[in-house]
């Protein structure tokens, strides 16, 4: 499968915008185009976190199964966002489910491939970390705000 056509799409995604040409070529070697129908799951909690998704079109619900209550949506992601962060942290297992709320077009990055390239080229690894860590922090802060909304702010 040729991946030549994916380079402009990957370059346009906020996660990789402005990435050095050589790094972009390395990253593109791990990419494939994917689609999901509304209601499809991109992944389930506990499964191997072997991909990350650069969302191009559609919305994805991040949800956690809750005994007796079904799934609770704790975050919704839109085009331009990164779906799946567990690929970067051992033991590389999903900590939640991701479900397509509408038809999805995305770039799936093979996480094993990307981790290997980051380990082989530490400059690439550092560049990827600089781009992913702010997303992790923003989502942590979002969860903190949600908890304050649910439990109230301390007096």
């Amino acid at each position: 499968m040729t991946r030549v056509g994916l380079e402009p799409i990957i370059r346009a995604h906020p996660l990789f915008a402005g990435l050095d040409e050589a790094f972009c070529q390395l990253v593109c070697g791990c990419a494939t185009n994917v689609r999901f129908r509304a209601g499809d799951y991109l992944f389930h909690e506990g499964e191997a976190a072997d991909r990350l998704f650069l969302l191009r079109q559609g919305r994805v619900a991040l949800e956690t199964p809750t005994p007796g209550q079904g799934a609770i949506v704790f975050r919704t992601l839109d085009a331009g966002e990164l779906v799946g962060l567990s690929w970067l942290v051992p033991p590389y297992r999903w900590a939640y489910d991701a479900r397509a709320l509408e038809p999805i077009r995305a770039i799936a990055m093979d996480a094993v491939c990307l981790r290997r390239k980051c380990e082989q080229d530490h400059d690439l690894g550092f560049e990827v970390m600089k781009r992913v860590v702010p997303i992790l922090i923003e989502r942590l802060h979002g969860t903190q705000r949600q908890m304050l909304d649910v439990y109230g702010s301390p007096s």
Side-chain angles (χ1 to χ4, degrees):
M1 169 184 247
T2 181
R3 292 181 175 87
V4 175
L6 296 181
E7 187 172 332
I9 296 167
I10 290 170
R11 283 187 172 289
H13 192 278
L15 181 65
F16 292 119
L19 190 65
D20 178 78
E21 176 67 31
F23 290 162
C24 188
Q25 289 177 5
L26 288 172
V27 167
C28 288
C30 299
T32 56
N33 226 344
V34 295
R35 293 175 185 254
F36 295 92
R37 294 178 307 233
D40 286 351
Y41 281 85
L42 284 70
F43 53 80
H44 291 281
E45 178 181 355
E47 293 176 343
D50 57 358
R51 297 185 292 170
L52 65 140
F53 300 91
L54 308 178
L55 192 55
R56 297 179 55 208
Q57 180 180 23
R59 292 180 36 230
V60 173
L62 303 184
E63 50 190 39
T64 187
T66 306
Q69 295 182 11
I72 295 175
V73 175
F74 63 90
R75 178 107 187 193
T76 303
L77 301 174
D78 296 302
E81 295 192 81
L82 175 65
V83 181
L85 297 171
S86 299
W87 68 275
L88 193 55
V89 182
Y92 310 119
R93 296 269 173 214
W94 296 120
Y96 46 81
D97 297 340
R99 181 175 47 88
L101 294 174
E102 53 195 48
I104 298 297
R105 292 177 60 207
I107 300 296
M109 305 295 294
D110 179 321
V112 174
C113 172
L114 189 55
R115 283 194 307 263
R116 183 179 59 248
K117 289 182 180 193
C118 287
E119 288 170 6
Q120 290 171 349
D121 186 327
H122 291 170
D123 290 338
L124 172 63
F126 183 65
E127 189 64 37
V128 169
M129 290 299 279
K130 286 191 319 187
R131 292 162 182 264
V132 172
V133 168
I135 296 168
L136 286 166
I137 297 299
E138 186 277 325
R139 291 190 185 169
L140 178 62
H141 289 165
T143 301
Q144 180 184 33
R145 287 187 299 273
Q146 274 186 313
M147 288 178 62
L148 289 173
D149 286 345
V150 170
Y151 298 109
S153 56
S155 301

